[in-house]
């Protein structure tokens, strides 16, 4: 009997059918480390500043080098994995991440720490799209893949939310470098596990890899993200340091798209964007991250500067958001099957908007129950949206383009985060500054300095002292809370816009399997019927896998 052995069949023949959930655990641990590293350093900044004495520019690059480099290289390494093997790229990313973590932990100069953070960004860019594209290959059945993606997105939320808590604990009990040391034993564990357990998978390698296109994409994303981050930091949009990278990045990305459309073997198949579900899913990821990161940044300032909580207490207050995200990930697959992508993404946005409007009731005094309820609804709603958007995006992409599709999803994630800080931060500053323009007894130059941020307003108030200092202190708190309310209303409007965008998604979840994944070895006779029946019950095969053999030239795989 002739038959075609596919990647999915090879995985099942090797025990992958039983081990795919173990593979998911390995992928989630690696994703957890990458997500942790994006936020764990934030609470260590005061400690490392006192130790290394970096300049303001060096400190900015210490914080931003990791997300900037990671975002810039996602498309490069995602498409490279499709060509040379996703497992190979992932394992190299593990090794580089572990080495860079050791260098960062032992850094004695700001330049060394910046270089180590950049290397961590390279490692993260190798790991993130590879985890999602391997997940796409290991779970060809959409229903099982939905469960796996729910767990995957929940782990990402856990890592991002746990970072400040873990970082605050380590800094309080050890030294700032310990926030990097936690990566080393885990990487030493999952590197051999990944080499042993993870299956290799590739896309169809047609034609040479477009090195120039990959570099254009990397430089374009780097310029765009850098420009957006400068706007979020309060830089003038027309300043050369801001508009230069932004315009250059946009131009390079436009040239990259045009180049991909002309090439016979593009890095990314631009026809993906002609699919409404794919484009809409990417847009929903951007909007969801825009709301989440911007709100988290402002919420952290509110908890620390208005309510006076410590970094560790702030991290603990954000834990309900994490637990709600875990619950959304755990139930996401069931919910998606019951109500479909359109309603799941749409109602996720609506629930998040309702949570944001509930948080408008926050004032200058601590209301823990209100905050907890708001964060629970926020975490559940946003995680529901992100889960369904990621699942729809990945299911729309063919298996051979999984790495490129995962890179697009992760890049949109990073761009949304940067845009959230820029947009909501600008709204916050615009609403906050006018409240300090005419404080009785405060000089004009002091008012201008206090208008930069609430933290700076407190410093200026301490320097002034007396009645003028107290007046500035109270005016700054009032202005910040008023600005927070305006920002929450703007965020709710953006989330409702996302709910309208979700109307372009499919109404139902279509559980189809790529034909290549159905062409598995089946014995002859009655045993064959029994095997097909068992696979159908398991939800992995819904049509008989006894079609005509596929020619090697068409499938790219050997026929036996």
């Amino acid at each position: 009997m002739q038959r075609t052995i596919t990647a999915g069949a090879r995985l099942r023949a090797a025990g992958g059918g039983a081990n795919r959930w173990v593979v998911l655990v390995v992928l989630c641990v690696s994703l957890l480390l990458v997500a942790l590293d994006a936020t764990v350093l934030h609470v260590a900044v005061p400690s490392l500043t006192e130790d290394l004495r970096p300049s303001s520019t060096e400190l900015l690059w210490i914080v931003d080098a990791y997300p900037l480099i990671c975002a810039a290289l996602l498309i490069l390494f995602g498409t490279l994995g499709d060509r040379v093997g996703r497992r190979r790229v992932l394992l190299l990313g593990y090794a580089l991440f572990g080495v860079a973590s050791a260098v960062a932990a032992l850094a004695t100069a700001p330049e060394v720490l910046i270089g180590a953070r950049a290397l961590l960004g390279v490692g993260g860019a190798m790991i993130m799209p590879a985890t999602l594209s391997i997940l796409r290959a290991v779970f060809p059945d959409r229903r099982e893949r939905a469960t796996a993606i729910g767990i995957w997105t929940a782990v990402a939320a856990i890592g991002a939310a746990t970072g400040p808590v873990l970082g605050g604990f380590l800094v309080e009990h050890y030294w700032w470098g310990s926030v990097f040391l936690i990566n080393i034993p885990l990487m030493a564990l999952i590197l051999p596990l990944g080499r042993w357990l993870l299956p290799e998978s590739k896309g169809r390698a047609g034609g040479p890899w477009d090195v120039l296109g990959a570099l254009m994409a990397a430089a374009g994303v780097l310029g765009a993200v850098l420009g957006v981050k400068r706007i979020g930091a309060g830089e003038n949009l027309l300043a050369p340091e801001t508009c230069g990278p932004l315009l250059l990045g946009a131009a390079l990305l436009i040239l990259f798209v045009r180049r991909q459309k002309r090439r016979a073997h593009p890095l990314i198949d631009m026809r993906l964007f002609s699919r409404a579900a794919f484009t809409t899913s990417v847009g929903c990821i951007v909007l969801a991250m825009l709301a989440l990161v911007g709100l988290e940044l402002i919420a952290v300032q509110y908890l620390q500067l208005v309510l006076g909580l410590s970094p560790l207490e702030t991290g603990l207050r954000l834990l309900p958001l994490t637990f709600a995200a875990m619950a959304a990930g755990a139930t996401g697959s069931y919910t998606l099957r019951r109500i479909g992508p359109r309603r799941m993404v749409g109602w996720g946005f609506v629930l998040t908007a309702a949570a944001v409007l509930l948080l408008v009731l926050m004032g200058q005094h601590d209301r823990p129950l209100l905050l907890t309820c708001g964060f629970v609804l926020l975490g559940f709603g946003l995680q529901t949206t992100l889960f369904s958007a990621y699942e729809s995006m990945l299911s729309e992409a063919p298996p051979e383009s999984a790495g490129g599709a995962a890179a697009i999803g992760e890049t949109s994630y990073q761009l949304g985060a940067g845009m959230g800080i820029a947009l909501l931060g600008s709204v916050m500053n615009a609403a906050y500054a006018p409240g300090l323009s005419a404080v009785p007894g405060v000089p004009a130059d002091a008012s201008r300095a206090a208008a930069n941020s609430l933290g700076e307003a407190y410093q200026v108030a301490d320097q002034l002292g007396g009645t003028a200092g107290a007046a500035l202190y109270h005016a700054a708190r009032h202005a910040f809370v008023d600005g927070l309310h305006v920002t929450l209303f703007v965020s709710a409007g953006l989330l409702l816009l996302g709910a309208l965008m979700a109307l372009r998604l499919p109404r139902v979840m279509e559980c189809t399997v790529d034909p290549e994944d159905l062409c598995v070895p089946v014995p002859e006779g009655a045993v064959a019927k029994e095997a097909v029946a068992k696979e159908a019950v398991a939800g992995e095969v819904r049509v008989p896998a006894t079609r005509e053999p596929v020619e090697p030239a068409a499938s790219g795989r050997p026929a036996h």
Side-chain angles (χ1 to χ4, degrees), residues 105-324:
L106 303 175
T108 56
E111 299 82 3
V112 177
L113 184 55
I114 292 171
R117 290 279 289 170
L119 284 177
L120 281 168
V122 176
M126 299 173 82
I127 292 171
M128 291 176 71
T131 59
L132 198 53
S133 54
I134 291 175
L135 186 149
R136 172 71 174 85
V138 173
F139 292 92
D141 177 72
R142 185 170 183 180
R143 288 180 292 185
E144 283 194 343
R145 185 167 65 245
T147 302
I149 292 176
I151 297 170
W152 186 88
T153 54
V155 168
I158 291 168
T162 307
V165 181
L166 182 60
F169 173 82
L170 291 172
V171 170
E172 284 185 12
H173 291 83
Y174 302 100
W175 93 109
W176 62 265
S178 60
V179 301
F180 298 108
L181 284 181
I182 57 175
N183 296 334
I184 298 174
L186 288 174
M187 282 298 174
L189 175 65
I190 65 173
L191 183 58
L193 276 178
R195 190 171 183 274
W196 178 44
L197 289 172
L198 297 179
E200 184 59 281
S201 64
K202 299 180 183 179
R204 293 193 182 102
W209 187 55
D210 184 9
V211 179
L212 178 60
L215 294 177
M216 288 172 63
V221 173
L222 178 62
V225 175
L226 181 60
V228 167
K229 279 186 170 289
R230 286 188 177 275
I231 296 172
E235 299 284 345
N236 185 357
L237 177 60
L238 300 179
E241 298 84 0
T242 303
C243 69
L246 204 56
L247 292 176
L248 179 61
L252 286 172
L253 289 175
I254 291 171
L255 291 174
F256 170 76
V257 171
R258 294 182 63 182
R259 179 181 176 85
Q260 298 309 298
K261 287 182 177 179
R262 292 197 304 266
R263 289 183 64 85
H265 303 287
L267 282 175
I268 294 176
D269 187 357
M270 290 299 161
R271 290 175 297 181
L272 286 173
F273 290 96
S274 65
R275 303 182 181 187
F278 185 88
T279 306
T280 303
S281 297
V282 170
C284 289
I285 291 171
V286 172
L287 272 178
M289 286 309 300
L290 189 153
L292 175 63
V293 173
L295 288 175
E296 276 193 345
L297 180 66
I298 296 168
V300 167
Q301 295 181 53
Y302 172 78
L303 293 172
Q304 291 188 359
L305 299 177
V306 176
L307 300 185
L309 303 180
S310 69
L312 182 58
E313 290 172 331
T314 299
L316 292 174
R317 283 294 185 94
L318 292 172
L319 281 181
L321 189 151
T322 303
F323 294 139

Side-chain angles (χ1 to χ4, degrees), residues 67-90:
L68 280 175
I69 298 299
C70 185
L73 298 178
L74 285 167
I75 292 176
L76 189 153
F77 286 119
T79 56
L80 180 62
D82 285 341
R83 293 301 183 98
V84 304
R86 296 149 187 161
R87 172 177 169 271
R88 181 179 300 175
V89 171
L90 181 62

Side-chain angles (χ1 to χ4, degrees), residues 23 32 53 56 99 162 164 166 191-192 210-211 229 285 292 324 338 340 369 404 464 511 518 524:
V23 170
L32 179 65
R53 300 293 180 183
S56 57
V99 171
T162 307
L166 182 60
L191 183 58
D210 184 9
V211 179
K229 279 186 170 289
I285 291 171
L292 175 63
R338 291 296 299 268
L369 182 59
L464 289 175
C511 295
L518 293 177
E524 307 246 347

Side-chain angles (χ1 to χ4, degrees), residues 15 18 24 44 50 71 77-78 154 195 260 267 410 414 419 434 439 472 546:
L24 177 63
E50 184 179 351
F77 286 119
R195 190 171 183 274
Q260 298 309 298
L267 282 175
E410 293 300 332
Q414 297 289 340
M419 290 168 61
V439 182
L472 180 61
T546 55

